């Protein structure tokens, strides 16, 4: 029997979570190192998955299939395509940096009643989320996917509410109330979407008789599975609503700014750079794969929602006073681009959307982690409390600028390539949508440059005059990510070579072909 590589890749961080949680509270340094070692070991396994995956081979590779709940047709069924491999690699890459960036975020703190925070719990929860996200990318059984899609909400709830950001302008008591509110709102929104999806999962079983994505897709292609138009559309809506909440897509996005604002910077990165990608990934794998006709039926409405997300998120980012909320609304705008690329129904758009998921994860990690380092020094999230930082902490300011320029998709940095592909793919089929979405780029330049100007330039405020520059640990966190931003900005081929064959399979699922270019005949 071949080694179950996919199971091992998801199981290793789960084992790490258990081992980290078991460390005695007084040995918090041991818990940190244990979490870091398990996250690095998971990255090694993810690299093995990447190396063993053949982009020109079968659609789903490294497959595993075992009977689980036979009476209901549920199987433990795993497999990865190029899109899943790229996102598993992104997840495994970011978690060690998240752990290292949050090295002191759960250290004991003295508050009014001198509370002790369980350091080992913080890192155990991060590893638990990683395990569930990786399993979500690997699962080809719809019921198995649903379990981990929902289960990841629990550790995230405790990370937001129990280990939230302590920088609050209204004091610790008010901050605790805001953290609890953000955690509950996050949980309720995602649970509501998950319950709707559960009804659709049950409906899918009633129609198809099993939960296997490859089997259902094959039955549809062979004509042995007939799904009524109305049934398919209702099932699509059940899946899509859950994924749109996770994505997040307007108007189901309102939980994200609160969650990112009240989380520590590493947890905010975990949410928007890792967990939210499950929503957009699932749109490609399940919405388009299971319900192709309904996906095409819903495309005009979804594209309008995506464009609203792009413009709305960017406009609200311009007016933010809080650094983290600004980055959160910027992410909502970027997720609008990703969803637009998926539902443009062109190979360029979907390749760009997948590449955007990877590049957005890296660029957001840089910007948010540097923002977290900045906030931890000053103790405030408010933009107005900063000024002149580049004069006292030039390395911090420089990396913050790089993260900001990547966020506005500057040519030469990774997000530019993906945003260009999304827009090009959308223009060819929906030119009006593409034109409106382009204004999001202009607004991105506005909110990023205004943020940098207000925090990093100008006179040095007394409160930041003694601010230290980035430390060795902090440089170790952001430097490799900056290198990746530049590398993928000038040479995205390693990622596109992996995802393009999977995109072609998705285009085949929905029976769509790229529009032919309109070229005037030569005279």
């Amino acid at each position: 029997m071949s080694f179950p590589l996919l199971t091992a890749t998801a199981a290793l961080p789960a084992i790490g979570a258990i081992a980290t949680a078991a460390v005695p509270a007084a040995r918090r340094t041991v818990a940190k190192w244990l979490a870091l070692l398990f996250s690095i070991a998971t990255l090694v396994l993810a690299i093995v998955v990447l190396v063993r995956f053949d982009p020109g081979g079968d659609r789903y590779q490294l497959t595993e299939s075992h009977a689980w709940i036979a009476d209901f047709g549920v199987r433990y069924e795993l497999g990865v395509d190029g899109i899943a491999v790229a996102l598993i690699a992104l997840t495994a890459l970011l978690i060690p940096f998240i752990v290292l960036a949050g090295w002191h975020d759960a250290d004991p703190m003295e508050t009014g009643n001198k509370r002790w925070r369980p350091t080992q719990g913080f890192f155990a929860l991060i590893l638990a989320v990683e395990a569930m996200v990786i399993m979500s990318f690997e699962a080809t059984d719809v019921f198995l996917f649903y379990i981990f899609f929902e289960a990841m909400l629990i550790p995230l709830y405790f990370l937001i509410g129990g280990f939230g950001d302590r920088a609050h302008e209204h004091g610790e008591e008010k901050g605790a109330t805001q953290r609890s509110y953000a955690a509950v709102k996050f949980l309720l929104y995602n649970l509501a979407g998950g319950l709707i999806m559960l009804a659709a999962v049950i409906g899918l079983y009633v129609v198809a008789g099993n939960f296997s994505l490859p089997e259902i897709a094959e039955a549809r292609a062979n004509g042995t599975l007939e799904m009524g138009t109305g049934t398919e559309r209702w099932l699509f809506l059940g899946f899509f609503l859950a994924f749109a909440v996770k994505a997040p897509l307007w108007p189901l996005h309102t939980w994200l700014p609160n969650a990112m604002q009240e989380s520590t910077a590493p947890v905010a990165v975990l949410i928007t750079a890792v967990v939210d990608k499950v929503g957009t990934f699932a749109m490609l794998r399940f919405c388009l794969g299971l319900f192709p006709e309904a996906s095409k039926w819903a495309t005009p409405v979804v594209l309008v929602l995506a464009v609203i997300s792009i413009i709305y998120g960017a406009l609200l980012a311009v007016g933010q006073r809080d650094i983290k909320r600004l980055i959160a609304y910027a992410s909502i705008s970027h997720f609008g681009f990703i969803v637009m690329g998926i539902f443009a129904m062109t190979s360029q758009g979907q390749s760009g959307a997948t590449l955007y998921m990877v590049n957005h994860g890296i660029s957001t990690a840089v910007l948010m982690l540097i923002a977290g380092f900045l906030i931890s020094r000053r103790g405030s999230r408010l933009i107005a409390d900063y000024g002149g930082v580049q004069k006292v902490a030039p390395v911090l300011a420089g990396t913050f600028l790089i993260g900001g320029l990547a966020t506005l998709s500057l040519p030469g940095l990774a997000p530019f390539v993906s945003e260009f592909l999304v827009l090009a793919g959308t223009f060819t089929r929906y030119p009006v949508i593409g034109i409106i979405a382009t204004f999001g780029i202009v607004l991105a330049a506005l909110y990023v440059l205004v943020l940098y100007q207000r925090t990093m330039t100008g006179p040095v405020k007394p409160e930041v005059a003694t601010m230290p520059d980035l430390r060795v640990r902090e440089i170790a966190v952001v430097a490799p990510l900056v290198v990746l931003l530049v590398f993928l900005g000038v040479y995205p081929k390693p990622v596109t070579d992996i995802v393009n064959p999977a995109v072609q399979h998705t285009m085949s699922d929905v029976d769509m072909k790229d529009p032919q270019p309109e070229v005037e005949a030569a005279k």
Side-chain angles (χ1 to χ4, degrees):
M1 181 180 293
S2 60
F3 179 72
L5 183 57
L6 296 185
T7 294
T9 306
L12 190 58
I15 296 170
I18 296 170
T20 303
V23 174
R27 306 293 297 275
R28 62 180 183 274
T29 302
V30 174
K32 296 176 183 179
W33 281 106
L34 198 59
L36 182 61
L37 289 174
F38 269 98
S39 66
I40 293 173
T42 304
L43 175 58
V44 172
L45 282 183
I47 292 172
V48 175
V49 171
L50 187 63
V51 170
R52 290 191 56 185
F53 181 79
D54 178 13
D58 295 338
R59 180 172 188 176
Y60 296 110
Q61 300 179 31
L62 305 174
T63 55
E64 303 173 32
S65 183
H66 307 281
W68 185 20
I69 310 175
D71 292 343
F72 295 98
V74 180
R75 298 186 62 81
Y76 177 80
E77 190 173 80
L78 307 180
V80 289
D81 59 5
I83 298 170
V85 166
L87 293 175
I88 289 170
L90 171 70
T91 301
L93 172 71
L94 290 180
I95 296 300
F97 296 114
I98 288 172
V99 169
L100 200 56
W103 202 251
H104 298 297
D105 285 356
D107 284 351
M109 285 185 61
E110 287 193 9
T111 60
N113 55 2
K114 200 173 185 179
R115 284 185 293 180
W116 175 274
R117 294 200 287 170
T119 301
Q120 73 277 23
F122 177 75
F123 294 100
L125 291 170
I126 290 175
L127 291 177
V129 173
E130 178 183 22
M132 294 174 188
V133 169
I134 290 176
M135 184 59 78
S136 298
F137 292 141
E138 295 175 346
T140 55
D141 183 279
V142 177
F143 190 80
L144 181 65
F145 167 83
Y146 174 78
I147 289 174
F148 290 98
F149 180 81
E150 287 292 277
M152 70 180 71
L153 302 179
I154 304 305
L156 283 168
Y157 169 80
F158 288 109
L159 283 170
I160 297 168
F163 296 94
D165 191 358
R166 261 54 185 178
H168 199 283
E169 65 270 21
H170 299 302
E172 172 61 23
E173 184 176 350
K174 180 70 172 179
T177 302
Q178 295 285 8
R179 289 191 294 273
S180 298
Y181 171 79
V184 170
K185 187 174 183 180
F186 158 80
L187 189 63
L188 291 179
Y189 265 71
N190 284 274
L191 278 179
L195 288 173
I196 295 171
M197 180 183 170
L198 178 60
V201 169
I202 296 171
L204 179 67
Y205 175 74
V206 171
V207 173
N210 67 79
F211 294 105
S212 173
L213 174 63
E215 290 183 18
I216 295 173
E218 183 180 356
R220 294 206 60 157
N222 295 336
T224 57
L225 172 63
E226 293 186 4
M227 194 179 297
T229 301
T231 301
E232 181 176 343
R233 290 177 180 180
W234 279 111
L235 293 178
F236 167 85
L237 289 174
F239 278 75
F240 179 79
L241 284 173
F243 303 152
V245 172
K246 186 86 80 179
L249 184 69
W250 184 92
L252 305 172
H253 68 284
T254 59
W255 63 268
L256 182 66
N258 297 96
M260 289 184 66
Q261 178 185 24
E262 299 302 332
S263 301
T264 62
V267 173
V269 171
L270 183 67
I271 293 170
T272 191
V274 176
V275 172
D276 287 352
K277 301 301 187 301
V278 177
T280 46
F281 163 80
M283 290 179 188
L284 276 167
R285 172 170 280 191
F286 296 104
C287 286
L288 273 61
L290 292 171
F291 316 111
E293 294 304 320
S295 297
K296 290 188 281 189
W297 162 75
T299 288
V301 175
V302 175
L303 288 176
V304 170
L305 295 179
V307 168
I308 293 174
S309 289
I310 292 169
I311 304 301
Y312 171 87
L315 283 173
L316 264 66
V318 172
Q320 290 305 306
R321 298 167 53 246
D322 185 295
I323 297 174
K324 286 186 176 180
R325 288 185 73 88
L326 186 151
I327 299 173
Y329 280 111
S331 289
I332 291 169
S333 181
H334 295 150
F335 274 102
F337 278 107
I338 294 171
V339 174
M340 185 178 74
I342 292 171
F343 282 86
M345 299 296 182
T346 61
S347 57
Q348 276 185 319
Q350 292 184 358
S351 293
T354 305
L355 187 60
Y356 212 138
M357 293 185 220
V358 175
N359 293 339
H360 171 265
I362 300 170
S363 63
T364 299
V366 173
L367 187 61
M368 179 58 83
L369 291 178
I370 290 294
F373 297 151
L374 181 69
I375 291 167
S376 67
R377 285 158 165 75
R378 174 67 177 83
S380 173
R381 300 190 299 253
L382 298 180
I383 297 172
D385 288 341
Y386 296 88
V389 174
Q390 68 179 13
K391 297 177 182 177
V392 296
V395 177
L396 187 154
T399 50
F400 190 80
L401 179 60
I402 293 172
L405 294 177
T407 298
L408 63 81
S409 299
L410 182 77
L413 297 175
F416 169 76
V417 181
S418 44
E419 196 164 280
F420 175 81
L421 285 173
V422 166
L423 287 171
T426 305
F427 271 121
T428 58
R429 200 181 293 279
Y430 302 100
V432 175
I433 294 290
I435 291 170
I436 297 173
T438 306
F439 287 99
I441 302 175
V442 179
L443 293 171
L446 180 61
Y447 62 69
V448 167
L449 296 178
V450 168
L451 172 64
Y452 184 84
Q453 180 189 41
R454 291 178 178 176
T455 56
M456 301 295 162
T457 66
V460 178
K461 292 199 171 183
E463 295 82 1
V464 302
T466 58
M467 180 179 292
D469 211 337
L470 291 184
R471 303 178 179 91
V472 174
R473 173 181 61 86
E474 295 165 336
I475 293 175
V477 169
V478 297
L481 298 176
V482 169
V483 171
L484 267 178
L485 283 178
V486 176
F487 176 77
L488 293 178
V490 297
Y491 191 64
K493 190 174 183 293
V495 180
T496 55
D497 283 349
I498 293 172
V499 304
N500 282 344
V503 166
Q504 293 304 322
H505 284 299
T506 304
M507 291 286 290
S508 177
D509 287 340
V510 292
D511 193 25
M512 295 291 288
K513 296 181 179 179
D514 290 330
Q516 294 299 315
E518 298 179 3
V519 180
E520 185 178 352
K523 295 180 180 179

